[in-house]
Amino acid sequence: MVTAYDAAPDRLKAGPRGAKPRRRLSRRNIIVYGTLIVVSLYYLLPLYVMIVTSLKGMPEIRVGNIFAPPLEITFEPWVKAWAEACTGLNCDGLSRGFWNSVRITVPSVVISIAVASVNGYALANWRFKGADLFFTILIVGAFIPYQVMIYPIVIVLREMGVYGTLTGLVIVHTIFGMPILTLLFRNYFAGLPEELFKAARVDGAGFWTIYFKIMLPMSLPIFVVAMILQVTGIWNDFLFGVVFTRPEYYPMTVQLNNIVNSVQGVKEYNVNMAATILTGLVPLTVYFVSGRLFVRGIAAGAVKG
Amino acid sequence: MTSVSVRDLSLNFGAVTVLDKLNLDIDHGEFLVLLGSSGCGKSTLLNCIAGLLDVSDGQIFIHDRNVTWEEPKDRGIGMVFQSYALYPQMTVERNLSFGLQVAKVPQAEIDKRVKRAAEILQIQPLLKRKPSELSGGQRQRVAIGRALVRDVDVFLFDEPLSNLDAKLRSELRVEIKRLHQSLKNTMIYVTHDQIEALTLADRIAVMKSGVIQQLADPMTIYNAPENLFVAGFIGSPSMNFFRGEVEARDGRNFVRVDGVAFDVSAYPARTKLQPGQKVVLGVRPEHVKVDEPGAGDAHQAMVDIEEPMGADNLLWLTLAGQSMSVRLAGQRRYPPGSTVRLSFDMGVASIFDAASEKRL
Amino acid sequence: MTSVSVRDLSLNFGAVTVLDKLNLDIDHGEFLVLLGSSGCGKSTLLNCIAGLLDVSDGQIFIHDRNVTWEEPKDRGIGMVFQSYALYPQMTVERNLSFGLQVAKVPQAEIDKRVKRAAEILQIQPLLKRKPSELSGGQRQRVAIGRALVRDVDVFLFDEPLSNLDAKLRSELRVEIKRLHQSLKNTMIYVTHDQIEALTLADRIAVMKSGVIQQLADPMTIYNAPENLFVAGFIGSPSMNFFRGEVEARDGRNFVRVDGVAFDVSAYPARTKLQPGQKVVLGVRPEHVKVDEPGAGDAHQAMVDIEEPMGADNLLWLTLAGQSMSVRLAGQRRYPPGSTVRLSFDMGVASIFDAASEKRL
Amino acid sequence: TNATDLEVTHWWTSGGEAAAVAELAKAFDATGNKWVDGAIAGSGGTARPIMISRITGGDPMGATQFNHGRQAQELVEAGLMRDLTDLATRENWKEIVKPASLLDSCTIEGKIYCAPVNIHSWQWLWLSNAAFKQAGVPVPKNWDEFVAAAPALEKAGIVPLALGGQPWQAAGAFDVLIVAIAGKDVFENVFAKKDEEVAAGPEIAKVFKAADDARKMSKGSNVQDWNQATNLVITGKAAGQIMGDWAQGEFQLAGQKAGTDYTCLPGLGVNEVISTGGDAFYFPLLEDEEKSKAQEALASTLLKPETQVAFNLKKGSLPVRGDVDLATANDCMKKGLEILAKGNVIQGTDQLLSPDSQKQKEDLFSEFFANPSMTPEDAQKRFAEIIAAAD
Amino acid sequence: MTGRTRGSVRPNQWLRNLNAKIASIPMILTALVIFVGGTAWTVVYSFTNSKLLPRLAFVGLDQYERLWAAPRWLISIQNLAVYGFFSLVFSLVIGFVLAALMDQKIRFENTFRTIMLYPFALSFIVTGLVWQWLLNPQYGIQSIVRSLGWTSFAFDPLYNSDIVIYGILIAALWQGTGLVMCLMLAGLRGIDEDIWKAARVDGIPMWKTYVLIIIPMMRGVFITTLVIIASGIVKVYDLVVAQTSGGPGIASEVPAKYVYDYMFLAQNLGQGFAASTMMLVTVAIIIVPWAYLEFGGGRKRG
Ligand SMILES: Nc1ncnc2c1ncn2[C@@H]1O[C@H](COP(=O)(O)OP(=O)(O)OP(=O)(O)O)[C@@H](O)[C@H]1O
Ligand SMILES: Nc1ncnc2c1ncn2[C@@H]1O[C@H](COP(=O)(O)OP(=O)(O)OP(=O)(O)O)[C@@H](O)[C@H]1O
Ligand SMILES: [Mg+2]
Ligand SMILES: [Mg+2]
């Protein structure tokens, strides 16, 4: 095969070799990375203050420069926050509530997501009369301040006979997670090809089989998204954790609150900071681990409105 | 004996009526193609037969059993979708066996059927792969396999080949045809590709806005379209239409179009053409003869565009003030601007009443 | 005079080299089609020419100007995408005029160009609509319009018709052809549909894995494919291939395939065929004669499947242990099972070396 | 007998408080029962909905802390609380609880529903000796001297009066000012009798004048929490703070000594009167016999002299019975005890006003102290309205 | 039962999709019992003078009269309007801009994303405290800048009644924009690559492409984000408590805090319910018609 190149006039062959301009990208890069780094500083500044403070002793904190690095690094506050800080008579720090938090978070996250995903699935694929109405109510419900609902829910739980139990708390988390999660799942499932659903129906799969065997395996990203939202919300929840349960179930945030919120007495800021960071570690870990899936999941779920 | 029969089927989405009192009978072992442009209700009809949409009114019988309100899985149908609709997280094997497992078919039986389907469709080497690791053609084969293992008598295809490129399309078309010849079951096949319709169908139902325009075998549809819509819809490039008036002269009938008179005496009209009647004369591009010696009624025309297509050559010309196309076998070239003499074979032409658009 | 010329173009995505030292010259007013299977680098090449991808090495000239590092908008090109890429929330009119407004073209000029483009593409009635209110064909027309108003000399099309159905595809194909004839500008058109390639192109570049396999006019590509890949890629159904050995007998050359000997004496070989040479004989389905009286070298075969396609009839048969296809003009029917006599027209056949896969 | 678990909820969670609670628990456990601690930090706002939910939700705790006064009144009226009258009569609480108003606050329609445990007083002015030294003025002996010293302090770059941003601090400071400036009678007329004439009258106008001074002096405090404000005094950045006796703990923790490093002026050095607010325990009605018995045991334990001493020493508050000896109390605490002994006491506003009125008052004073454009006259008018509507 | 009769009778509408209906029971119950029932309950009791416990002692519109006479409530409403407006605008703008930057095929995307998202994981109680410090003129940013030599620099939003709500906004954005950014980024990733190419060939500048083409295409994402942000705004409480307790004075009060304070601190449930009823009515007036258009009203899937 003869290339046309050989036949081209010399002028072209010698033609100005376009220099590969590097500048084209670099100015843009300066803007992009510059902005991102400045913004990152804004995000990181409080974290810096928290970490620095958590490594100082109280006398140093009283001196007052919150930005100054610790003169003398001490891990005392961390130890104290985790294992020694007192809640009334119980002086075993956050560790006391840790397992309770796990005991609350795991079933609450699982059940709230399970319920919301099934709702979203039913709304997206098995639409029935009136479903839209309930969904609209649900979305409006997302705007109701939680506190207002405390008494009615106390009454409902009491009548159901689950007040003060873990079950009750799980129900509450499920209820309050429902609006946003259902929205997420509904949009996600609606974005999946409808033909898959039809194919499964022809194959004889029913409501639950389709959900478990077809939809669920395809929706892991959105489940991760929901999990991140719920883990963060439930893990950091304080109010429901104490209002709707009894002391043997009190989550870690009760300790956190106790450490941070003592009104009369000394505020140990270093312990506060350590406790906050410690408490945040679990959701943070979830973010780190599932960061990539997070973006992908929302992309699939939320893009269709 | 009818395999599938649809009686007075109506379907509306809210206020929109998509199907209105539609009737259709499909014989045992017949290959019926539903053909029509986008949005005419083909998929809707197929989904009704499959039980994926609740009908608003009417009945559906499969093997003389009224299945109007039965679940899809109980209707004895298999279905293949345009987008393959394979379960992405399952291997090909699982995709094939899923329905059977749901139906609690014994494992041995499942294996047997999967094996058979895989053999028929030649996808044995793919059984352990996931759909994402397959090419488009292979995916569609698996999708067909999924219908196959169900061991049902009625297959429903919803534009199974639309997502494939031309080459694959023609290959799979042959395979589906072969499959039908060997299985001899009933197939209802939705497409808007007329090549598929013509090559595959025993009978074609041409639909428009939810109404079946003509239901007949491919050659009848092709050669004797019942109305203007069917005539224009079938054939690529489209049939050339000339609107004109019937004129009787010297005992012969002509259709006069913009000053040009076409001799239509040879046309086998069902009812006698009335002079003065407004009609539409339709001639397929491949039924136009070019520069044929001895053709009596020849018309001069100039080539606008030439489209050589390898096996044949497509000419676009202007005649009687209208653009028309001509398809010539072979590779004889007519550069744009050259003049040709055209003659029409009235034996295979069509004439429609201009008002009712019905064949005359 | 070249309009677009590509010199030693290389492009890698990370470690993957998609294009490697590719050269291509396109003349003024030429319609060049880039044809190749999926993933061979067609879009990549087009994007490089458009300036949408930064080349790794090499130069691109448009009208003898080195534009390798210029912004797309400054290259004097217009581009049309497979997915239309219309701005969904803008009216058709805004879609057309948006780029010009941004470039601060005077309003009067904008109006003029939009009007002209709308006229050419016959989308005047659609100007006030949003893309979502258009059919696929109309959308693609608008997308072409968007390139048109830019008043550039080079148009780039990336599979503009792939998302359309067959009927629309053939209509728009004609329009693009017409557009080219009237505008006479350079067009580079990517497709993997060979019908489009054959009908539209002045020259076709057949690509495989980033390498141009053959660059020639459509008839040359169709009739004298340079290698096995090009031969198999062009034509639908595909060219029939028979792998065999050259045999000289009685002063005639034969290709012996599985016991059947094809007389290839009439083949216009470039280099003399050597007895014993392993070759591949290629015959297009439309170059096979069926039951033709007086054909010397005839072979018996049985019809497996028949695909009547309206204007012609496609037969699938088995010959020399191989499945092959035959395309017959007209409507003569051969039901499956019937036996036919085949003869090949060696004047338009192809023979390739089995090892190098090059045309002999 | 079997030890009965009794869950006790309270909001005493800081170091000193928890140590004090431990004393209660120890004493209770000694009775053969078991104290199950249910501490919730964050004062009433956080703890109260929890406690009320538990009680109304049908899963009550064994005992719960409230500020005695009117917070639990409705729970009592709803029949959810246990009547302690029998026990109180048996153990003669009427005699031993001093001042008597403490028990009055527990009494609803003649029945006693709570056991008071301590007295906290609000009426203290805490002064930084170092700050005055730096400004070159002597440490004031009373409020007027303090106000007079303000310009000098400001000149030295010292905030005269530290005041945290939380609303209850402003409202509390004002209550302290009423007693100090207008006297005990006016205080009682306004808060106990809800006399709006007095509230709108000239005496209170004087108090608002003083509050206006305080407002000016507190400009630049820029802290939220009360202990941050106390910290300003400790570090000498601010000269003084009006705060309850619990502030003492902060000075102690910072290693400061009363008299040398800091000075405390009860009743702002003007009217040496202190209020007798404090904490009390309420006992929800339980069905379980065993637990009911344990409740009685707890109530009785709370008022035992040993418990009172041990608890209040740790807590830094005053005992509810006059017959115990606090030899180890520090300087300021002793001042408080003396005043108590003299009977110069008033009831706290918690006891006198409904929480609703208290909250409105907080809103008013936090706005007043933060917003210099609000005139004392306007504020007084709104104050009078609140008093008029109070119940 | 033969097939003929089984299949030919139109089944009871209530029994069709039975499983879907059963599966939706939790949603239906939540919607009806909790959201509708709870709301109705709240509204009913807002006409009573319930104090510590809900009691059906009706007092007509007294609670509402008092509510609308309370300066604190009026300020709360104002603050919510200001905070809501800016929070919405800035969250969307910042979230979108960050997402757009992140979408430039940058390196370390995962790191940047995590940095922006981590505040979302931390509890309000302490992050409020940290921001309180940072914005404190004595030891926060102001003092740092002053110590660097710019002695007239003033930055004390939390202690200035006029701008305190913006100080709260700073922390709110710090907490919430990461999530918005993630949602937006996801939306951007869903945009057809060809649109970008078409815009480049048309010579449309980057920012114009975003504003005029991309954003209108991301309607769905914006709606999801809007619901999430807006529901957070209406409910904003913890952050204010942690940072300013509503101060200075009552300058940074918000409605949810009013509700909470009056319900639990003031023990005046009736007042709290009246306030929350007003909030709900406002929300409902805005949301219901929109939500029904968006999610109901016969639109096809999605
Ligand atoms: N769920 C629905 N709600 C409202 N209208 C619908 C719905 N599904 C389909 N339609 C309408 O019904 C008509 C028929 O749709 P259908 O899908 O059957 O067309 P089709 O012939 O299969 O077209 P295509 O070739 O594009 O698949 C269309 O006009 C479509 O807009
Ligand atoms: N951004 C990218 N990163 C890495 N590889 C890429 C990228 N874009 C394309 N490729 C690879 O480059 C090769 C050529 O891609 P290109 O899109 O040019 O193919 P094409 O010929 O246009 O195919 P099609 O007909 O499917 O459009 C493919 O193998 C593809 O996987
Ligand atoms: Mg369809
Ligand atoms: Mg491509």
Side-chain angles (χ1 to χ4, degrees), chain A residues 62 86-89 150-151 154 158 163-164 238 242-243 245-247 250 257-258 261-267 269, chain D residues 7 13-14 17-18 22 25 35 37 39-42 46 50 52-54 56-57 59 225-228 231 250 253:
Chain A
R62 266 188 242 277
C86 292
T87 302
L89 300 185
I150 287 180
Y151 284 161
V154 166
R158 188 181 66 203
Y163 181 82
F238 160 70
V242 291
V243 168
T245 59
R246 49 176 80 211
Y250 281 177
N257 174 67
N258 286 342
N261 251 354
S262 311
V263 170
Q264 298 176 345
V266 196
K267 287 218 158 183
Y269 295 116
Chain D
E7 184 198 343
T13 48
S14 72
E17 291 171 342
W35 171 292
D37 197 63
I40 297 149
T46 314
I50 295 160
I52 293 168
S53 301
R54 291 275 307 273
T56 56
D59 180 33
D225 297 336
W226 69 270
N227 54 331
Q228 283 177 313
N231 198 40
E250 291 284 299
L253 255 158

Side-chain angles (χ1 to χ4, degrees), chain B residues 13 18 37-45 159 192, chain E residues 300:
Chain B
F13 291 114
V18 175
S37 51
S38 197
C40 71
K42 306 181 296 294
S43 300
T44 305
L45 174 56
E159 311 199 16
H192 53 229
Chain E
K300 253 183 116 180

Side-chain angles (χ1 to χ4, degrees), chain D residues 146-338:
Chain D
F146 180 49
V147 175
L153 290 166
E154 274 166 5
K155 232 162 79 220
I158 294 165
V159 178
L161 182 68
L163 181 68
Q166 292 162 328
W168 59 270
Q169 296 183 48
F174 184 79
D175 293 348
V176 172
L177 283 174
I178 292 190
V179 187
I181 310 283
K184 187 176 162 183
D185 294 342
V186 174
F187 180 88
E188 280 173 351
N189 278 334
V190 172
F191 291 125
K193 304 211 177 95
K194 280 101 184 171
D195 187 337
E196 55 172 313
E197 303 278 308
V198 178
E203 296 284 342
I204 295 297
K206 267 202 318 212
V207 181
F208 269 97
K209 265 259 139 22
D212 191 26
D213 292 336
R215 171 164 74 175
K216 286 179 191 128
M217 289 160 69
S218 70
K219 202 165 159 281
S221 296
N222 289 358
V223 287
Q224 277 299 324
D225 297 336
W226 69 270
N227 54 331
Q228 283 177 313
T230 308
N231 198 40
L232 292 179
V233 179
I234 292 172
T235 53
K237 285 182 190 146
Q241 182 189 19
I242 298 175
M243 188 45 61
D245 50 13
W246 49 86
Q248 219 177 161
E250 291 284 299
F251 288 97
Q252 277 172 356
L253 255 158
Q256 300 208 327
K257 267 188 83 79
T260 51
D261 297 315
Y262 68 99
T263 305
C264 55
L265 299 179
L268 306 189
V270 187
N271 265 322
E272 297 216 331
V273 175
I274 59 174
S275 63
T276 55
D279 302 293
F281 277 90
Y282 286 76
F283 300 86
L285 208 58
L286 296 181
E287 283 169 14
D288 189 328
E289 282 289 321
E290 294 287 308
K291 296 218 172 187
S292 301
K293 263 198 218 121
Q295 284 180 326
E296 279 197 11
L298 177 56
S300 149
T301 307
L302 291 175
L303 278 150
K304 291 248 164 67
E306 313 84 70
T307 323
Q308 279 289 310
V309 173
F311 174 76
N312 282 302
L313 276 179
K314 294 260 163 71
K315 179 84 167 73
S317 50
L318 304 174
V320 293
R321 42 198 299 170
D323 55 354
V324 297
D325 178 27
L326 282 180
T328 49
N330 79 5
D331 218 28
C332 289
M333 216 163 156
K334 280 192 180 128
K335 280 192 200 173
L337 277 172
E338 275 166 33

Side-chain angles (χ1 to χ4, degrees), chain C residues 13 18 37-44 159 192:
Chain C
F13 290 113
V18 175
S37 52
S38 197
C40 70
K42 307 180 295 293
S43 302
T44 306
E159 311 198 17
H192 53 229

